[in-house]
Amino acid sequence: MINLTSIQYFYQTQMETLTKSVGKKEGKSLVRSQMELQSNEGDQSVGISNDVETLKSKKRKAAITWYIFLLPSFLGILLFMVYPIVESFRLSFFQSNGTIEKFIGIRNFEQVLTSKTFWNTVWNTFFIGFFQIMITIPLGFVFASLINSVRKGQNFFKVIYFLPNVTSIVAAAMIFQFVLHPEMGVVNYALDSLGLPTSTWFSDPSTSKWGVILLAVWHWIGFVIIICLANLQAISPELYEAAKIDGASGIQQWLFITIPNMSGTFAFLLITGWIGGLQRFNEVYVLGGPNGSPARSIQTMGAFIYERGFTGFEFGIASAATYIMFVIILIFTFINLKVSKMKL
Amino acid sequence: MNQKSMERMSGAVKFLVLLVFGILLMMPFVWMVSVGFDRTANITMPFPPRLIPETISGFNYGIVFENGRLIQSYINSGIVTTSSVFLQVFASLLAGYAFSKGDFKHKKLLFILVLCTLMIPMEPRLIPLYTLFNSFGLLNSFWPLILPTVINGMLIFLCKQFFDQLPSTLREAAQIDGAGEFRIFFNVYLPLSGPIAATMVILSFIWSWNDFMWPLVVLNSQELHTVPLYLASFSLENGTSLGGLTMALATVSILPIVVLYLFLQRYIIQSIALSGVKG
């Protein structure tokens, strides 16, 4: 799982490290002048050069200590991040099943990019992701605003609405197989008794994606609400007071103060939502297995990689597919960043 | 109608809307528990759906516990999660502290490298990690699940932010007393890092407990399955043919997390809001 919260904080951090480094320099010079002061008490000429020596070796020693602090994390980065990424790149040019390897150039990429199955998974992934995000963010924001505006039971609603997000998506998918069952499920029963049209959900390729979307909305909405609430409460109350004095109604305040002030939050949710959505795997695996049945209608890019890599043991093909997916995610995140920046 | 009663009205409407939608969101859980207790829910589910089962029985729950695989998977998940949380939180505290208070070459560059790891998804690393652990003969053990969690950019980032807020004068005072860097960390800063450590434990617990794709790749033998893996394999084997049993199993698998959540909800919600984690 990846997370782009950092991007949101990135400039902030850079600013912080900048100001910090300035502060550090002052501190350092202070220490040095203190040392020099001490050394001045003794023999001047020898003292200074001696001090420079000890200061240098002290600094080196200190630096080594700091690297020991970083050792576990950077061993992890090297072994579990850098090596796999490089190795995966190399593998994507080989025909491999884990033991026998043969260099075949860009044939893996050609094969993936001309594969109808792969493009079908790209389509499925984007389709499910698009509707999940376009439904959940507005809906979650409206509910967060409602929760924020009621006087009683705020915490109760927060806890209730967030509950689906705490349960693992695997268990949730298991439950939804029954909830959305065409004949025995509660949803179709409720729709039917209200006189509304029912759906075939997971049992038919033409509707199965909507089942996954419903599950994804149900699971994600609590997260959207919590993030929206945290940011709603951070909007300065003075803005609302000023608007009230100008005679703005509640709806007007919501439209012209709340929504513009939340654009950063929406951007954040859009980006994290897409990153998560493009990596969708767990729920579609539980619902449709590695090939996303019925008829590959809910097979995502992640499932394609799993199918080729770990049921077919075509490591080269799977590696090429992961790189294509990686690039798709990076490009799409970049576009999202640009788009949401423009709105800001 | 005066303004006050208007306001009260709109407040009541909002409350009602929230309540109705909340009930809708809870509906799958309620139905799950109900079906799990229903003796008649076997190959066909009780229809029309009922809130209170016709014949209440603990039959399905009995089978779930008798089978023993759920309990085994709980133990497995417990071992993996505890070890991962400990390793991850400890390594992140160390690194976050160094990035906050440390003074060494390439500090900024190394920190950017840490932030870059946030953008690397699991999928491109899946196959090389698999062959790596295979070559060590560690597949079908918990090591592949525990060891890679040592690096978590998000937690290092949160830690750094936290230590940035703590004054450096504490360090200087301890330095004057002649304490080395490790003693300063363990005796001065670590005792102060309770709040961030709690947040990190919550986050890494959620990540590790719900992890699915990587354990699915690495663990073949059933005895080692974690809870999500056991659920998935049960679901894929049986489809929608064993309604009551599946729902009972889902209930038992969700219950401990829900109870934990209800007790710690304030801290969990705060942690989520702080990090932007996706469960």
Side-chain angles (χ1 to χ4, degrees):
Chain A
M1 165 171 305
I2 52 173
N3 214 310
L4 269 196
T5 329
S6 59
I7 286 186
Q8 207 188 22
Y9 299 111
F10 201 74
Y11 294 103
Q12 187 192 333
T13 334
Q14 272 192 328
M15 282 294 288
E16 263 167 34
T17 40
L18 222 102
T19 47
K20 263 189 68 88
S21 67
V22 172
K24 270 274 157 53
K25 251 168 220 157
E26 275 170 16
K28 228 181 285 166
S29 60
L30 221 126
V31 172
R32 194 169 296 154
S33 55
Q34 240 175 10
M35 302 277 278
E36 271 160 20
L37 225 101
Q38 279 174 351
S39 71
N40 278 350
E41 283 167 11
D43 188 346
Q44 269 193 11
S45 55
V46 182
I48 286 171
S49 67
N50 256 355
D51 266 348
V52 169
E53 279 290 294
T54 49
L55 208 72
K56 259 189 186 164
S57 72
K58 247 190 188 164
K59 255 195 98 173
R60 204 174 300 137
K61 225 175 139 188
I64 290 170
T65 324
W66 290 120
Y67 291 131
I68 294 172
F69 273 96
L70 294 179
L71 192 67
S73 296
F74 276 85
L75 266 180
I77 290 181
L78 230 72
L79 216 58
F80 306 127
M81 293 276 174
V82 177
Y83 162 74
I85 285 292
V86 174
E87 168 70 5
S88 189
F89 188 67
R90 187 191 69 82
L91 264 178
S92 62
F93 297 101
F94 284 80
Q95 189 179 46
S96 164
N97 60 2
T99 44
I100 305 156
E101 282 180 2
K102 198 178 117 204
F103 182 78
I104 53 165
I106 57 163
R107 285 239 301 279
N108 286 327
F109 288 95
E110 277 173 5
Q111 207 180 330
V112 173
L113 288 172
T114 54
S115 149
K116 266 203 184 124
T117 317
F118 178 74
W119 287 110
N120 175 50
T121 65
V122 174
W123 162 250
N124 292 342
T125 312
F126 273 88
F127 186 92
I128 296 168
F130 178 81
F131 284 103
Q132 177 201 4
I133 286 162
M134 288 310 142
I135 294 169
T136 318
I137 294 180
L139 202 64
F141 172 60
V142 168
F143 278 102
S145 305
L146 283 178
I147 291 175
N148 200 31
S149 70
V150 293
R151 245 174 258 145
K152 271 183 193 162
Q154 275 202 8
N155 203 46
F156 169 75
F157 286 126
K158 239 197 222 175
V159 171
I160 290 291
Y161 278 65
F162 192 63
L163 191 60
N165 200 262
V166 194
T167 58
S168 83
I169 189 83
V170 173
M174 216 162 130
I175 303 166
F176 263 66
Q177 267 188 321
F178 289 95
V179 170
L180 295 179
H181 195 283
E183 282 104 41
M184 319 182 281
V186 265
V187 169
N188 268 5
Y189 174 73
L191 288 174
D192 195 43
S193 45
L194 289 173
L196 295 166
T198 58
S199 169
T200 44
W201 303 116
F202 299 123
S203 60
D204 192 284
S206 63
T207 52
S208 54
K209 281 195 253 312
W210 287 103
V212 180
I213 291 165
L214 203 65
L215 167 63
V217 170
W218 179 80
H219 195 256
W220 198 43
I221 195 159
F223 176 78
V224 173
I225 289 174
I226 293 300
I227 299 291
C228 282
L229 261 175
N231 288 293
L232 277 173
Q233 281 154 4
I235 298 174
S236 152
E238 284 159 27
L239 288 173
Y240 292 106
E241 274 159 32
K244 245 182 236 165
I245 291 167
D246 289 346
S249 69
I251 299 275
Q252 278 175 324
Q253 287 176 32
W254 191 66
L255 285 175
F256 298 114
I257 297 177
T258 311
I259 291 179
N261 270 293
M262 291 292 284
S263 54
T265 310
F266 296 146
F268 167 73
L269 287 170
L270 188 77
I271 291 161
T272 49
W274 269 115
I275 291 173
L278 293 177
Q279 290 173 279
R280 189 180 311 279
F281 173 74
N282 300 358
E283 59 268 46
V284 296
Y285 178 82
V286 175
L287 291 168
N291 48 15
S293 44
R296 293 191 185 273
S297 63
I298 57 170
Q299 191 182 33
T300 57
M301 290 192 279
F304 178 86
I305 290 160
Y306 179 82
E307 189 194 11
R308 300 307 283 265
F310 294 99
T311 61
F313 288 94
E314 298 165 284
F315 284 170
I317 297 262
S319 292
T322 61
Y323 257 88
I324 293 166
M325 175 180 165
F326 193 18
V327 170
I328 290 176
I329 292 179
L330 282 184
I331 292 174
F332 206 69
T333 306
F334 191 71
I335 293 172
N336 276 331
L337 274 172
K338 281 267 157 175
V339 169
S340 49
K341 265 269 166 58
M342 258 158 38
K343 267 192 203 151
L344 281 174
Chain B
M1 212 187 279
N2 64 14
Q3 211 186 339
K4 215 172 185 184
S5 66
M6 270 276 277
E7 247 170 48
R8 200 170 295 160
M9 268 282 286
S10 85
V13 169
K14 282 175 187 169
F15 194 87
L16 210 68
V17 170
L18 282 172
L19 201 65
V20 168
F21 198 73
I23 291 170
L24 276 180
L25 276 184
M26 287 303 106
M27 186 269 300
F29 289 128
V30 175
W31 194 55
M32 164 188 83
V33 174
S34 156
V35 172
F37 275 113
D38 199 330
R39 184 65 184 84
T40 60
N42 294 318
I43 290 166
T44 56
M45 303 281 278
F47 197 86
R50 279 183 290 263
L51 193 63
I52 315 261
E54 203 168 87
T55 39
I56 299 178
S57 100
F59 176 76
N60 291 318
Y61 290 92
I63 295 181
V64 166
F65 283 108
E66 232 169 72
N67 177 294
R69 275 195 62 198
L70 182 76
I71 295 166
Q72 182 62 49
S73 66
Y74 255 109
I75 295 169
N76 295 339
S77 272
I79 295 169
V80 171
T81 305
T82 317
S83 325
S84 303
V85 167
F86 182 77
L87 186 67
Q88 200 167 42
V89 168
F90 187 65
S92 304
L93 278 169
L94 283 176
Y97 175 73
F99 280 122
S100 174
K101 304 289 181 208
D103 174 27
F104 50 90
K105 256 190 193 169
H106 309 305
K107 181 167 142 181
K108 211 170 158 187
L109 188 82
L110 290 175
F111 189 61
I112 289 171
L113 191 67
V114 167
L115 291 183
C116 282
T117 63
L118 287 171
M119 314 223 295
I120 301 174
M122 187 64 204
E123 285 82 358
R125 299 186 286 138
L126 221 49
I127 290 162
L129 282 180
Y130 175 85
T131 46
L132 181 75
F133 280 104
N134 192 17
S135 64
F136 289 139
L138 289 177
L139 287 183
N140 261 322
S141 75
F142 293 141
W143 291 111
L145 306 191
I146 297 166
L147 290 177
T149 59
V150 71
I151 168 67
N152 187 305
M154 190 70 226
L155 293 186
I156 294 176
F157 176 75
L158 287 176
C159 258
K160 181 195 173 297
Q161 297 275 89
F162 178 81
F163 283 120
D164 281 347
Q165 293 168 347
L166 294 179
S168 295
T169 42
L170 293 172
R171 270 174 56 72
E172 284 146 25
Q175 259 170 344
I176 290 169
D177 289 346
E181 291 299 345
F182 287 107
R183 265 195 60 194
I184 295 174
F185 174 70
F186 283 106
N187 293 350
V188 181
Y189 283 92
L190 200 59
L192 292 173
S193 60
I196 195 68
T199 299
M200 297 200 318
V201 167
I202 287 171
L203 292 178
S204 78
F205 182 91
I206 295 173
W207 287 326
S208 177
W209 189 270
N210 290 334
D211 197 11
F212 183 70
M213 196 181 197
W214 176 232
L216 180 71
V217 165
V218 177
L219 299 178
N220 285 319
S221 69
Q222 286 191 346
E223 298 85 65
L224 295 176
H225 274 185
T226 56
V227 175
L229 281 188
Y230 173 50
L231 291 184
S233 73
F234 181 90
S235 185
L236 281 176
E237 267 169 42
N238 299 302
T240 51
S241 63
L242 296 170
L245 197 57
T246 310
M247 290 308 214
L249 183 62
T251 310
V252 178
S253 82
I254 288 174
L255 199 67
I257 305 296
V258 170
V259 170
L260 205 69
Y261 165 66
L262 292 180
F263 273 111
L264 298 173
Q265 37 100 356
R266 180 160 302 156
Y267 304 101
I268 293 177
I269 288 178
Q270 266 173 11
S271 307
I272 303 281
L274 186 70
S275 78
V277 54
K278 201 167 161 289

